[in-house]
Amino acid sequence: MVKKSIHEINKKIEDGSVNVVTAEEMVGIVENLGVEGAAREVDVVTTGTFGAMCSSGLMLNLGHSEPPIKIQKLWFNNVEAYSGLAAVDAYLGAAQISDTRGMQYGGAHVIEDLLRGKEIDVHATSYGTDCYPRKVLDTTITLDDLNEAILLNPRNAYQKYAAATNSSKRILNTYMGELLPNFGNVTYSGSGVLSPLSNDPSYETIGTGTRIFMGGAQGYVIGNGTQHSPSDGFGTLMLKGNLKEMSSDYIRAASFTGYGTTLYMGIGIPIPILNEKLAASTAVQDADIFTDILDYAVGSKDKPAIRQVNYAELKSGLVQIEGKDVPTSSLSSFKNARKIANELKEWVRHGKFFVSMPVERICCEGSAKSMKQTQAVPLVKDVMSDFIVTIKKDQTVQDAAKKIWENSFNHLAVISDTGELVGILTAWDISKAVAENIFDSVESVMTKKVLTCAPNEPVDLAARRLDRYGVSAMPVIDAQKQVLGIITSDNISKLLARRY
Amino acid sequence: MKIKISIPTERIHDPIISESIIETGIRLNIMVANIDSTYGELIADVKDSRFNRIKKALESRGAIVAILDQPIHRDEEECVDCGACISVCPMNVYTFDETWSLCVDEKKCIQCGMCIKMCPHGALKLGE
């Protein structure tokens, strides 16, 4: 039985005899020496990750102005920060987008610009009090001008992350990047073999108080992250670190087309090898870390899993979906993750960084809950019209005109002999057919590419689709393409009229 | 090599491409074609040895022909080597080397622009 203490390891760091390796190197060492041998030989294993971490932000203090102001609303380069704290404290979220430049520039960019020493425009407003009489303030600042500039990140360093793909027929723009139609690609995030929490999955050495590498400086774990979901293997960490000590090599702003801004964070966590169990867990490989590929075509929080996959497959560049080789893209940088693990290794080796035990363990059981919603979300089936007039595709344009006239109904669902939806015909299409003297079958004048929706979809999703494609109605169909009803912009207007 | 053929407004109704192909017998592999009633721009692949002849044929009909030397430009300062561009590129321009550094094979690029939208760090731009 190998048993080492933090104190012993730190003494070795101090006298320069420490043996420190990266989590990638540890795989081979455990293979060669066995768990016990590796636990005896290796004192510290370093990990690293560098990827998009939206749930990050800057807690800052501006110092007092003359005359003083109790800031109520605050903008940095037109990106709004939250200042509902004391007079000149504020929190700037990485994902907040600019009022003027939209998704191209956000809180993350302000943070990177501050770090790079650039001047930032500040605009603040207030209601004014006897002690803080000022109502408006405009100035420019740099990072040096702030009293405190602390990155306080509620959710970083996911243990692993679900991969993304898209079964639909159009490109999706998501926080997982561009997802091509018909399972055209798979995107993923996380550093696999180097992932901090995957190397200590029972959180024996990673908890509140653990000293870490954060953005090129020493930072700290201050607890579990938000949405911490350890029972599913999706643990997260809350972190803090001083922006003034960080490096722009490891703090990088990003913008995902059609989604918004986020901050790429570089994080490395050293794992002191106190016993065999830690030696074994730090020998984790890409092939041991499994996640699901989720279908982002479903605009619901519960996205269907297409299949399970491990990080070795994801990193190979191709994964199989339905027998087809699909190219993968990483959104996080493995090159930088490796650089971080190596830099942290050098810090430890040269006595610049001492390992620590958590002052309090974070929980390794439990799952994140979904939001409690007291108002039921209306579904398509709740607001659709059950009454829908159908017509067979081989009937004539005249039959169609008659049906529209008799039912005073603007949309005809065109069905096949077996009742499957094959097209849609509106009064407009008929007018056009008459104008052009076409009186053949319905099939020749109908719209064949019909937008449809499912009865259990939230109305909001149907409304978004109607808006995106500029149509006024969609047939509601079941899995067998049988027509159940129709949802029109009129149904949605009525729903809104009821709401307010 | 990849070439860019621009067809000005006054020639858009003439079958410039077909005529040039028939006249020279040189096969163009058209990778991208953006043509509307006012302007046309095509990216095509042609053998190096045939370039001068097809260029002459196209230009004699009013088209402008340019070699796509650097169709895509990567800002190495901005790029973090994540590889987001890899899976959306239809031409396999981007790959990782053994150190997980991003490699760009510019010769394959057809300027479709997919990678530009995908890059989270705005590190990619269409070149000349």
Side-chain angles (χ1 to χ4, degrees):
Chain A
M1 271 278 282
V2 179
K3 205 167 183 304
K4 281 184 256 179
S5 72
I6 288 289
H7 186 66
E8 282 164 27
I9 293 176
N10 277 337
K11 270 182 92 171
K12 284 179 154 189
I13 295 175
E14 205 170 357
D15 68 24
S17 66
V18 69
N19 185 14
V20 45
V21 301
T22 70
E24 228 181 334
E25 293 162 343
M26 188 64 168
V27 177
I29 294 173
V30 171
E31 250 171 41
N32 287 335
L33 304 180
V35 168
E36 202 194 325
R40 219 178 292 281
E41 284 296 315
V42 177
D43 302 309
V44 181
V45 169
T46 60
T47 63
T49 185
F50 183 87
M53 305 193 197
C54 286
S55 189
S56 298
L58 184 66
M59 180 62 73
L60 60 95
N61 181 284
L62 285 156
H64 286 291
S65 63
E66 178 60 34
I69 182 169
K70 177 180 184 293
I71 296 174
Q72 190 190 2
K73 297 251 181 197
L74 176 65
W75 290 262
F76 293 100
N77 284 353
N78 292 322
V79 180
E80 192 173 7
Y82 182 74
S83 52
L85 305 131
V88 288
D89 286 321
Y91 186 76
L92 175 67
Q96 181 74 282
I97 61 171
S98 155
D99 288 355
T100 45
R101 292 166 69 185
M103 291 183 196
Q104 290 304 310
Y105 190 90
H109 296 80
V110 177
I111 292 169
E112 186 181 330
D113 282 348
L114 277 168
L115 188 53
R116 289 182 184 275
K118 293 188 186 167
E119 286 206 322
I120 305 292
D121 287 330
V122 180
H123 174 66
T125 60
S126 170
Y127 48 88
T129 73
D130 288 340
C131 45
Y132 292 110
R134 188 169 194 150
K135 288 192 167 182
V136 182
L137 177 131
D138 283 283
T139 185
T140 58
I141 54 144
T142 65
L143 186 57
D144 289 341
D145 300 320
L146 296 170
N147 285 316
E148 278 79 23
I150 305 295
L151 276 189
L152 205 55
N153 299 350
R155 183 168 68 254
N156 279 179
Y158 259 97
Q159 194 160 348
K160 63 186 184 186
Y161 207 81
T165 193
N166 168 19
S167 69
S168 81
K169 292 193 177 80
R170 67 176 184 92
I171 291 182
L172 299 178
N173 290 305
T174 73
Y175 60 83
M176 293 299 282
E178 244 173 56
L179 298 172
L180 305 180
N182 305 314
F183 302 121
N185 64 341
V186 166
T187 61
Y188 68 99
S189 191
S191 59
V193 61
L194 286 174
S195 164
L197 287 179
S198 289
N199 277 278
D200 181 10
S202 53
Y203 318 145
E204 197 174 329
T205 69
I206 304 174
T208 302
T210 302
R211 188 182 294 123
I212 62 167
F213 174 109
M214 183 177 177
Q218 282 191 16
Y220 294 91
V221 175
I222 54 176
N224 67 259
T226 52
Q227 281 176 37
H228 183 56
S229 212
S231 291
D232 318 311
F234 287 88
T236 69
L237 296 174
M238 194 175 287
L239 308 178
K240 74 155 271 201
N242 187 353
L243 184 68
K244 292 188 179 196
E245 297 167 359
M246 292 183 188
S247 150
S248 54
D249 286 352
Y250 303 111
I251 299 282
R252 298 292 287 273
S255 167
F256 282 95
T257 304
Y259 167 73
T261 65
T262 187
L263 191 64
Y264 270 58
M265 284 293 306
I267 294 158
I269 303 188
I271 298 168
I273 304 302
L274 306 171
N275 52 47
E276 280 104 336
K277 190 181 154 209
L278 283 164
S281 68
T282 49
V284 71
Q285 307 184 41
D286 286 330
D288 305 328
I289 304 169
F290 286 88
T291 192
D292 284 326
I293 302 177
L294 302 184
D295 184 2
Y296 275 60
V298 177
S300 153
K301 80 178 162 55
D302 296 317
K303 298 184 180 2
I306 299 297
R307 56 161 288 200
Q308 210 188 38
V309 68
N310 65 43
Y311 273 81
E313 290 172 271
L314 288 169
K315 281 161 92 171
S316 77
L318 289 173
V319 294
Q320 285 237 323
I321 293 180
E322 293 176 354
K324 204 176 81 176
D325 278 339
V326 178
T328 62
S329 264
S330 169
L331 302 172
S332 48
S333 167
F334 192 71
K335 185 184 174 187
N336 280 315
R338 195 183 255 174
K339 195 171 142 193
I340 289 164
N342 276 306
E343 183 154 347
L344 181 54
K345 176 177 146 179
E346 292 309 307
W347 286 4
V348 174
R349 181 186 279 168
H350 293 111
K352 291 188 208 155
F353 188 103
F354 291 88
V355 291
S356 64
M357 275 303 271
V359 292
E360 198 150 293
R361 299 274 297 267
I362 56 178
C363 58
C364 48
E365 272 174 26
S367 296
K369 290 183 290 195
S370 296
M371 188 189 289
K372 176 189 171 191
Q373 280 169 283
T374 53
Q375 285 194 343
V377 182
L379 302 178
V380 164
K381 65 181 174 194
D382 301 329
V383 298
M384 72 179 192
S385 308
D386 299 333
F387 177 72
I388 177 154
V389 188
T390 58
I391 188 161
K392 293 271 175 65
K393 64 178 181 181
D394 44 17
Q395 285 185 267
T396 65
V397 172
Q398 203 160 11
D399 294 337
K402 208 168 156 209
K403 280 205 172 194
I404 285 186
W405 171 249
E406 280 171 1
N407 295 292
S408 41
F409 201 70
N410 216 353
H411 299 83
L412 293 179
V414 186
I415 54 172
S416 68
D417 287 339
T418 51
E420 281 177 19
L421 180 77
V422 291
I424 193 161
L425 194 68
T426 64
W428 174 267
D429 296 324
I430 292 175
S431 307
K432 190 167 170 258
V434 170
E436 290 175 352
N437 243 333
I438 304 171
F439 292 100
D440 305 343
S441 67
V442 161
E443 197 179 5
S444 61
V445 294
M446 71 185 187
T447 300
K448 284 180 184 142
K449 274 194 178 168
V450 197
L451 286 180
T452 61
C453 59
N456 287 323
E457 271 186 275
V459 171
D460 301 62
L461 290 184
R464 191 172 147 82
R465 209 170 308 141
L466 288 175
D467 181 45
R468 170 180 285 271
Y469 295 99
V471 296
S472 56
M474 285 190 292
V476 183
I477 58 169
D478 63 15
Q480 284 71 47
K481 291 186 101 180
Q482 302 287 317
V483 183
L484 306 172
I486 191 162
I487 187 162
T488 64
S489 35
D490 199 33
N491 298 131
I492 296 170
S493 314
K494 281 182 183 148
L495 172 74
L496 284 176
R498 277 211 306 276
R499 258 189 210 172
Y500 300 111
Chain B
M1 67 170 75
K2 299 277 187 302
I3 60 172
K4 181 153 89 179
I5 307 164
S6 307
I7 303 169
T9 315
E10 62 272 17
R11 294 299 173 104
I12 201 79
H13 296 290
D14 304 332
I16 290 174
I17 307 285
S18 315
E19 283 177 10
S20 306
I21 291 172
I22 292 167
E23 182 199 298
T24 59
I26 294 170
R27 290 169 194 186
L28 283 179
N29 190 11
I30 297 172
M31 324 293 287
V32 178
N34 293 313
I35 299 170
D36 62 22
S37 56
T38 60
Y39 188 71
E41 198 171 270
L42 294 92
I43 308 279
D45 209 0
V46 66
K47 280 200 179 135
D48 290 10
S49 58
R50 308 269 163 90
F51 170 69
N52 282 332
R53 270 175 64 213
I54 192 84
K55 180 177 192 256
K56 222 173 119 192
L58 286 162
E59 284 181 344
S60 71
R61 290 172 172 81
I64 300 155
V65 182
I67 301 172
L68 280 179
D69 268 340
Q70 202 192 33
I72 193 84
H73 177 76
R74 175 171 72 130
D75 182 336
E76 290 184 19
E77 283 291 302
E78 287 295 336
C79 176
V80 301
D81 298 85
C82 64
C85 48
I86 291 175
S87 74
V88 292
C89 175
M91 303 306 292
N92 301 318
V93 168
Y94 304 100
T95 48
F96 280 130
D97 68 11
E98 66 283 1
T99 69
W100 295 89
S101 296
L102 190 76
C103 304
V104 186
D105 188 351
E106 290 167 350
K107 288 198 294 294
K108 292 180 180 171
C109 175
I110 55 168
Q111 289 199 324
C112 69
M114 289 298 287
C115 58
I116 293 171
K117 263 174 68 202
M118 180 64 155
C119 177
H121 296 272
L124 298 169
K125 277 193 193 76
L126 288 185
E128 281 312 300

